[in-house]
Amino acid sequence: MKTICLYFEIHQIIHLKRYRFFDIGTDHYYYDDYENERSINDIATRSYMPALNTLEQMIKDHGGYFKVAFSLSGTGIEQLEMHAPQVLEKLQQMNETGCVEFLAEPYSHGLSSLANAESFARDMKKQVQKIKEYFGQEPKVARNSSLIYSDDIGAQIAALGFKGMLTEGAKHVLGWKSPHYVYHCNEAPNLKLLLRDVDLSDDISLRFNNAEWEGYPLFADNYIDRIARLPEEEQIINIFMELSALGIAQPLSSNILDFIKALPVCAKQKGITFSTPTEICMKVKSMGQLDVPDTLSWVDEERDVSCWLGNAMQREAFQKLYSVADRLLIADDPRIMQDWDYLQASNNFRFMTTKPSNVGLDRGIYSGPFDAFTNYMNILGDFINRVDQLYPLEIENEELNSLLTTIRNQGDEIVMKDKEIERLKAKLEKLEGKAAKEAKPKAAAKKAAPKKKKEAPADE
């Protein structure tokens, strides 16, 4: 039986302000608060709330049949907390239905997986904790920023305990293979891989409102018919996109939400179900390993990382940023760590791209890639100066390595203690249950036993 895995990403760009060379050392605040508030409110009004209301109604209309998955970046959550808390409240309400799964992704929505394994691990763990706090779910499936993936990244994700990972069904990786199966990481066979169907996803997120597209207009019944006509053995249909596609990339006036709302109605008629990523990873066996020696993503025609690291400016900014990564693993300054998260965000590097084919790129305050590079490097210069003051370069490598080893050991100890606590809880519940069962017959026997009559007092 065919099943659709519908997933949406929620992330919000943190806009940097105009920051000049002479601000270095005097101004340690890097953000355009007005633009951040304006943009998040705009996207919440035009996209997030209407889309989430529609998805919630679909869950209610179809009981446990319709299911959907989301991932939120930590930086996106912080923006929503400040400027659009109604979005988080709506997601919490949807979570109560039991038909929504939340995935893990890097807290910063950054590129740490390409630079520093320790930073990437902490980025993922930090976001897992955030998801647990908001929704009470501990994510079992991960996705990297923009579905970035390689064999090495898959191994890192598996080492963190995840059971599955989403990535791009890129043709240059799949070759003759179909994205409609479950695969596994070639360096970590226990990590299942769910591959995005590029055409079916982009038909909704990129082409739906394009009157010049040969598939225009797209109707839900025709769309589901295409899925139903796929070979019988191809049963996993992964449709992944940004939530902002519903309302921003494809305006509400295009009737995009009516289209989405009709999908489960048409799918049910064809015997097609909906599943969450974890359900698929738990129930469906891998068809085989997927070899991805070079890094891929869901961005641009190349489906690689060239939109972030394709030119010398981007690589210089990237290398300079992560030159302080090891020292920040021992940092405990909240302001420094928040700036670290915000400066890692991948859009900071994408604004510097010189690729002419970049789709839908709005550089904001920047006139071009060099302007974006100059502004970012000015901010980065001030940030690194602050890091140097708190955690000097004079820290000997042995001392730093010792501190990092201590941090890793403490993390391992915490994991072991958590497991021991869970084991003891389970044992206690078992003992309490056994005691309760044993107490029931005793209580019943006591209740059934005849009561002795009290003897009258003897006359004096």
Side-chain angles (χ1 to χ4, degrees), residues 156-188:
Q156 292 180 58
I157 287 292
L160 292 173
F162 292 102
K163 305 302 181 186
M165 187 173 186
L166 311 187
T167 189
E168 180 76 340
K171 292 179 181 178
H172 70 275
V173 170
L174 283 171
W176 56 268
K177 296 178 182 177
S178 166
H180 304 139
Y181 296 95
V182 174
Y183 297 92
H184 66 261
C185 172
N186 71 354
E187 292 189 14

mmCIF file of all heavy atoms in Angstrom, residues 156-188:
data_model
loop_
_atom_site.group_PDB
_atom_site.id
_atom_site.type_symbol
_atom_site.label_atom_id
_atom_site.label_comp_id
_atom_site.label_asym_id
_atom_site.label_seq_id
_atom_site.Cartn_x
_atom_site.Cartn_y
_atom_site.Cartn_z
ATOM 1 N N GLN A 156 27.469 10.607 11.412
ATOM 2 C CA GLN A 156 27.384 11.482 12.589
ATOM 3 C C GLN A 156 25.976 11.452 13.193
ATOM 4 O O GLN A 156 25.807 11.411 14.414
ATOM 5 C CB GLN A 156 27.746 12.919 12.191
ATOM 6 C CG GLN A 156 29.200 13.132 11.805
ATOM 7 C CD GLN A 156 29.475 14.578 11.425
ATOM 8 O OE1 GLN A 156 29.264 15.492 12.208
ATOM 9 N NE2 GLN A 156 29.930 14.792 10.192
ATOM 10 N N ILE A 157 24.967 11.501 12.330
ATOM 11 C CA ILE A 157 23.570 11.479 12.794
ATOM 12 C C ILE A 157 23.255 10.154 13.482
ATOM 13 O O ILE A 157 22.605 10.109 14.535
ATOM 14 C CB ILE A 157 22.617 11.728 11.608
ATOM 15 C CG1 ILE A 157 22.672 13.199 11.175
ATOM 16 C CG2 ILE A 157 21.187 11.337 11.956
ATOM 17 C CD1 ILE A 157 22.108 14.173 12.192
ATOM 18 N N ALA A 158 23.728 9.059 12.909
ATOM 19 C CA ALA A 158 23.496 7.738 13.513
ATOM 20 C C ALA A 158 24.164 7.651 14.882
ATOM 21 O O ALA A 158 23.594 7.078 15.821
ATOM 22 C CB ALA A 158 24.024 6.648 12.589
ATOM 23 N N ALA A 159 25.359 8.235 15.005
ATOM 24 C CA ALA A 159 26.082 8.207 16.280
ATOM 25 C C ALA A 159 25.337 8.973 17.371
ATOM 26 O O ALA A 159 25.532 8.711 18.568
ATOM 27 C CB ALA A 159 27.486 8.783 16.101
ATOM 28 N N LEU A 160 24.475 9.903 16.970
ATOM 29 C CA LEU A 160 23.686 10.675 17.931
ATOM 30 C C LEU A 160 22.422 9.929 18.364
ATOM 31 O O LEU A 160 21.652 10.443 19.173
ATOM 32 C CB LEU A 160 23.311 12.031 17.330
ATOM 33 C CG LEU A 160 24.479 13.009 17.102
ATOM 34 C CD1 LEU A 160 24.004 14.246 16.349
ATOM 35 C CD2 LEU A 160 25.117 13.408 18.420
ATOM 36 N N GLY A 161 22.192 8.753 17.777
ATOM 37 C CA GLY A 161 21.075 7.913 18.213
ATOM 38 C C GLY A 161 19.816 8.019 17.375
ATOM 39 O O GLY A 161 18.794 7.413 17.721
ATOM 40 N N PHE A 162 19.858 8.735 16.264
ATOM 41 C CA PHE A 162 18.669 8.862 15.415
ATOM 42 C C PHE A 162 18.459 7.586 14.593
ATOM 43 O O PHE A 162 19.403 6.909 14.212
ATOM 44 C CB PHE A 162 18.797 10.067 14.485
ATOM 45 C CG PHE A 162 18.760 11.388 15.202
ATOM 46 C CD1 PHE A 162 19.930 12.097 15.444
ATOM 47 C CD2 PHE A 162 17.558 11.901 15.660
ATOM 48 C CE1 PHE A 162 19.898 13.309 16.126
ATOM 49 C CE2 PHE A 162 17.517 13.111 16.339
ATOM 50 C CZ PHE A 162 18.692 13.816 16.571
ATOM 51 N N LYS A 163 17.190 7.299 14.311
ATOM 52 C CA LYS A 163 16.836 6.095 13.560
ATOM 53 C C LYS A 163 16.695 6.358 12.072
ATOM 54 O O LYS A 163 16.738 5.421 11.266
ATOM 55 C CB LYS A 163 15.521 5.508 14.087
ATOM 56 C CG LYS A 163 15.525 5.214 15.589
ATOM 57 C CD LYS A 163 16.635 4.252 15.962
ATOM 58 C CE LYS A 163 16.608 3.967 17.465
ATOM 59 N NZ LYS A 163 17.784 3.139 17.866
ATOM 60 N N GLY A 164 16.467 7.616 11.708
ATOM 61 C CA GLY A 164 16.265 7.934 10.309
ATOM 62 C C GLY A 164 16.676 9.355 9.999
ATOM 63 O O GLY A 164 16.891 10.175 10.900
ATOM 64 N N MET A 165 16.770 9.665 8.701
ATOM 65 C CA MET A 165 17.163 11.001 8.269
ATOM 66 C C MET A 165 16.521 11.298 6.917
ATOM 67 O O MET A 165 16.394 10.413 6.062
ATOM 68 C CB MET A 165 18.680 11.098 8.162
ATOM 69 C CG MET A 165 19.205 12.504 7.887
ATOM 70 S SD MET A 165 21.010 12.582 7.988
ATOM 71 C CE MET A 165 21.243 14.359 7.788
ATOM 72 N N LEU A 166 16.107 12.552 6.738
ATOM 73 C CA LEU A 166 15.567 12.992 5.459
ATOM 74 C C LEU A 166 16.689 13.586 4.611
ATOM 75 O O LEU A 166 17.580 14.248 5.125
ATOM 76 C CB LEU A 166 14.501 14.078 5.654
ATOM 77 C CG LEU A 166 13.384 13.869 6.678
ATOM 78 C CD1 LEU A 166 12.363 14.989 6.559
ATOM 79 C CD2 LEU A 166 12.727 12.512 6.518
ATOM 80 N N THR A 167 16.622 13.355 3.316
ATOM 81 C CA THR A 167 17.547 14.027 2.411
ATOM 82 C C THR A 167 16.924 14.110 1.019
ATOM 83 O O THR A 167 15.765 13.732 0.815
ATOM 84 C CB THR A 167 18.920 13.339 2.382
ATOM 85 O OG1 THR A 167 19.840 14.157 1.640
ATOM 86 C CG2 THR A 167 18.855 11.966 1.742
ATOM 87 N N GLU A 168 17.700 14.625 0.084
ATOM 88 C CA GLU A 168 17.197 14.904 -1.264
ATOM 89 C C GLU A 168 17.296 13.678 -2.154
ATOM 90 O O GLU A 168 18.312 12.969 -2.162
ATOM 91 C CB GLU A 168 18.007 16.059 -1.876
ATOM 92 C CG GLU A 168 17.595 16.446 -3.277
ATOM 93 C CD GLU A 168 16.311 17.258 -3.316
ATOM 94 O OE1 GLU A 168 15.543 17.202 -2.336
ATOM 95 O OE2 GLU A 168 16.064 17.948 -4.321
ATOM 96 N N GLY A 169 16.262 13.452 -2.941
ATOM 97 C CA GLY A 169 16.298 12.379 -3.929
ATOM 98 C C GLY A 169 16.927 12.868 -5.214
ATOM 99 O O GLY A 169 16.301 12.844 -6.283
ATOM 100 N N ALA A 170 18.188 13.291 -5.117
ATOM 101 C CA ALA A 170 18.887 13.893 -6.267
ATOM 102 C C ALA A 170 19.185 12.839 -7.327
ATOM 103 O O ALA A 170 19.670 11.745 -7.025
ATOM 104 C CB ALA A 170 20.173 14.561 -5.795
ATOM 105 N N LYS A 171 18.949 13.203 -8.570
ATOM 106 C CA LYS A 171 19.122 12.251 -9.670
ATOM 107 C C LYS A 171 20.569 11.822 -9.828
ATOM 108 O O LYS A 171 20.854 10.670 -10.175
ATOM 109 C CB LYS A 171 18.599 12.866 -10.969
ATOM 110 C CG LYS A 171 17.088 13.061 -10.985
ATOM 111 C CD LYS A 171 16.611 13.692 -12.280
ATOM 112 C CE LYS A 171 15.097 13.897 -12.249
ATOM 113 N NZ LYS A 171 14.595 14.561 -13.478
ATOM 114 N N HIS A 172 21.517 12.743 -9.577
ATOM 115 C CA HIS A 172 22.928 12.379 -9.764
ATOM 116 C C HIS A 172 23.413 11.408 -8.690
ATOM 117 O O HIS A 172 24.447 10.763 -8.855
ATOM 118 C CB HIS A 172 23.814 13.628 -9.779
ATOM 119 C CG HIS A 172 23.952 14.324 -8.454
ATOM 120 N ND1 HIS A 172 23.035 15.244 -7.999
ATOM 121 C CD2 HIS A 172 24.897 14.223 -7.477
ATOM 122 C CE1 HIS A 172 23.416 15.688 -6.804
ATOM 123 N NE2 HIS A 172 24.530 15.088 -6.470
ATOM 124 N N VAL A 173 22.655 11.288 -7.603
ATOM 125 C CA VAL A 173 22.982 10.319 -6.552
ATOM 126 C C VAL A 173 22.222 9.015 -6.779
ATOM 127 O O VAL A 173 22.782 7.922 -6.689
ATOM 128 C CB VAL A 173 22.655 10.892 -5.152
ATOM 129 C CG1 VAL A 173 22.768 9.811 -4.091
ATOM 130 C CG2 VAL A 173 23.579 12.055 -4.820
ATOM 131 N N LEU A 174 20.946 9.131 -7.099
ATOM 132 C CA LEU A 174 20.108 7.941 -7.270
ATOM 133 C C LEU A 174 20.432 7.173 -8.546
ATOM 134 O O LEU A 174 20.355 5.944 -8.579
ATOM 135 C CB LEU A 174 18.631 8.345 -7.280
ATOM 136 C CG LEU A 174 18.008 8.658 -5.930
ATOM 137 C CD1 LEU A 174 16.627 9.262 -6.118
ATOM 138 C CD2 LEU A 174 17.906 7.405 -5.070
ATOM 139 N N GLY A 175 20.758 7.892 -9.626
ATOM 140 C CA GLY A 175 20.970 7.221 -10.898
ATOM 141 C C GLY A 175 19.687 6.553 -11.362
ATOM 142 O O GLY A 175 18.655 7.201 -11.528
ATOM 143 N N TRP A 176 19.718 5.235 -11.522
ATOM 144 C CA TRP A 176 18.534 4.496 -11.978
ATOM 145 C C TRP A 176 17.569 4.186 -10.841
ATOM 146 O O TRP A 176 16.454 3.723 -11.079
ATOM 147 C CB TRP A 176 18.961 3.185 -12.642
ATOM 148 C CG TRP A 176 19.806 2.316 -11.753
ATOM 149 C CD1 TRP A 176 21.160 2.305 -11.671
ATOM 150 C CD2 TRP A 176 19.343 1.340 -10.812
ATOM 151 N NE1 TRP A 176 21.592 1.399 -10.732
ATOM 152 C CE2 TRP A 176 20.495 0.787 -10.191
ATOM 153 C CE3 TRP A 176 18.088 0.878 -10.428
ATOM 154 C CZ2 TRP A 176 20.418 -0.191 -9.207
ATOM 155 C CZ3 TRP A 176 18.002 -0.104 -9.455
ATOM 156 C CH2 TRP A 176 19.156 -0.627 -8.855
ATOM 157 N N LYS A 177 17.987 4.422 -9.609
ATOM 158 C CA LYS A 177 17.152 4.086 -8.455
ATOM 159 C C LYS A 177 15.990 5.061 -8.318
ATOM 160 O O LYS A 177 16.036 6.189 -8.801
ATOM 161 C CB LYS A 177 17.993 4.088 -7.174
ATOM 162 C CG LYS A 177 19.086 3.044 -7.143
ATOM 163 C CD LYS A 177 19.908 3.157 -5.862
ATOM 164 C CE LYS A 177 21.037 2.150 -5.830
ATOM 165 N NZ LYS A 177 21.873 2.304 -4.616
ATOM 166 N N SER A 178 14.973 4.625 -7.599
ATOM 167 C CA SER A 178 13.789 5.458 -7.357
ATOM 168 C C SER A 178 13.835 6.035 -5.946
ATOM 169 O O SER A 178 14.304 5.374 -5.010
ATOM 170 C CB SER A 178 12.520 4.606 -7.522
ATOM 171 O OG SER A 178 11.398 5.283 -6.988
ATOM 172 N N PRO A 179 13.324 7.271 -5.748
ATOM 173 C CA PRO A 179 13.250 7.828 -4.402
ATOM 174 C C PRO A 179 12.101 7.242 -3.574
ATOM 175 O O PRO A 179 11.938 7.608 -2.413
ATOM 176 C CB PRO A 179 13.016 9.320 -4.660
ATOM 177 C CG PRO A 179 12.252 9.349 -5.946
ATOM 178 C CD PRO A 179 12.832 8.221 -6.765
ATOM 179 N N HIS A 180 11.333 6.333 -4.169
ATOM 180 C CA HIS A 180 10.126 5.818 -3.517
ATOM 181 C C HIS A 180 10.365 4.543 -2.704
ATOM 182 O O HIS A 180 9.452 3.738 -2.518
ATOM 183 C CB HIS A 180 9.029 5.585 -4.564
ATOM 184 C CG HIS A 180 8.721 6.799 -5.363
ATOM 185 N ND1 HIS A 180 8.482 6.768 -6.722
ATOM 186 C CD2 HIS A 180 8.658 8.113 -5.006
ATOM 187 C CE1 HIS A 180 8.262 7.995 -7.165
ATOM 188 N NE2 HIS A 180 8.364 8.823 -6.143
ATOM 189 N N TYR A 181 11.605 4.378 -2.242
ATOM 190 C CA TYR A 181 11.955 3.289 -1.348
ATOM 191 C C TYR A 181 12.675 3.863 -0.127
ATOM 192 O O TYR A 181 13.110 5.013 -0.136
ATOM 193 C CB TYR A 181 12.888 2.292 -2.034
ATOM 194 C CG TYR A 181 12.292 1.562 -3.214
ATOM 195 C CD1 TYR A 181 12.487 2.041 -4.504
ATOM 196 C CD2 TYR A 181 11.553 0.394 -3.043
ATOM 197 C CE1 TYR A 181 11.957 1.378 -5.604
ATOM 198 C CE2 TYR A 181 11.010 -0.280 -4.135
ATOM 199 C CZ TYR A 181 11.211 0.224 -5.416
ATOM 200 O OH TYR A 181 10.674 -0.438 -6.496
ATOM 201 N N VAL A 182 12.818 3.038 0.884
ATOM 202 C CA VAL A 182 13.651 3.395 2.035
ATOM 203 C C VAL A 182 15.047 2.838 1.792
ATOM 204 O O VAL A 182 15.201 1.684 1.390
ATOM 205 C CB VAL A 182 13.075 2.811 3.344
ATOM 206 C CG1 VAL A 182 14.028 3.061 4.511
ATOM 207 C CG2 VAL A 182 11.707 3.425 3.639
ATOM 208 N N TYR A 183 16.054 3.671 2.009
ATOM 209 C CA TYR A 183 17.450 3.246 1.882
ATOM 210 C C TYR A 183 18.131 3.391 3.242
ATOM 211 O O TYR A 183 17.500 3.792 4.221
ATOM 212 C CB TYR A 183 18.167 4.093 0.824
ATOM 213 C CG TYR A 183 17.594 3.931 -0.566
ATOM 214 C CD1 TYR A 183 16.594 4.786 -1.033
ATOM 215 C CD2 TYR A 183 18.024 2.918 -1.410
ATOM 216 C CE1 TYR A 183 16.054 4.640 -2.309
ATOM 217 C CE2 TYR A 183 17.487 2.757 -2.696
ATOM 218 C CZ TYR A 183 16.502 3.622 -3.133
ATOM 219 O OH TYR A 183 15.971 3.470 -4.388
ATOM 220 N N HIS A 184 19.425 3.043 3.302
ATOM 221 C CA HIS A 184 20.161 3.258 4.539
ATOM 222 C C HIS A 184 21.548 3.821 4.244
ATOM 223 O O HIS A 184 22.077 3.671 3.138
ATOM 224 C CB HIS A 184 20.253 1.969 5.375
ATOM 225 C CG HIS A 184 21.057 0.872 4.743
ATOM 226 N ND1 HIS A 184 20.469 -0.177 4.071
ATOM 227 C CD2 HIS A 184 22.395 0.650 4.680
ATOM 228 C CE1 HIS A 184 21.398 -0.998 3.623
ATOM 229 N NE2 HIS A 184 22.591 -0.518 3.977
ATOM 230 N N CYS A 185 22.122 4.459 5.260
ATOM 231 C CA CYS A 185 23.445 5.067 5.148
ATOM 232 C C CYS A 185 24.497 3.974 4.994
ATOM 233 O O CYS A 185 24.485 2.991 5.747
ATOM 234 C CB CYS A 185 23.727 5.917 6.393
ATOM 235 S SG CYS A 185 25.411 6.563 6.509
ATOM 236 N N ASN A 186 25.417 4.144 4.054
ATOM 237 C CA ASN A 186 26.397 3.070 3.816
ATOM 238 C C ASN A 186 27.437 2.959 4.929
ATOM 239 O O ASN A 186 28.115 1.943 5.050
ATOM 240 C CB ASN A 186 27.083 3.242 2.455
ATOM 241 C CG ASN A 186 28.049 4.412 2.411
ATOM 242 O OD1 ASN A 186 28.146 5.200 3.362
ATOM 243 N ND2 ASN A 186 28.766 4.554 1.324
ATOM 244 N N GLU A 187 27.565 3.995 5.763
ATOM 245 C CA GLU A 187 28.505 3.945 6.892
ATOM 246 C C GLU A 187 27.797 3.622 8.210
ATOM 247 O O GLU A 187 28.464 3.396 9.221
ATOM 248 C CB GLU A 187 29.259 5.271 7.018
ATOM 249 C CG GLU A 187 30.218 5.537 5.869
ATOM 250 C CD GLU A 187 31.100 6.740 6.124
ATOM 251 O OE1 GLU A 187 31.159 7.210 7.277
ATOM 252 O OE2 GLU A 187 31.723 7.220 5.155
ATOM 253 N N ALA A 188 26.484 3.647 8.193
ATOM 254 C CA ALA A 188 25.700 3.332 9.395
ATOM 255 C C ALA A 188 24.415 2.642 8.948
ATOM 256 O O ALA A 188 23.373 3.284 8.779
ATOM 257 C CB ALA A 188 25.388 4.604 10.184
#
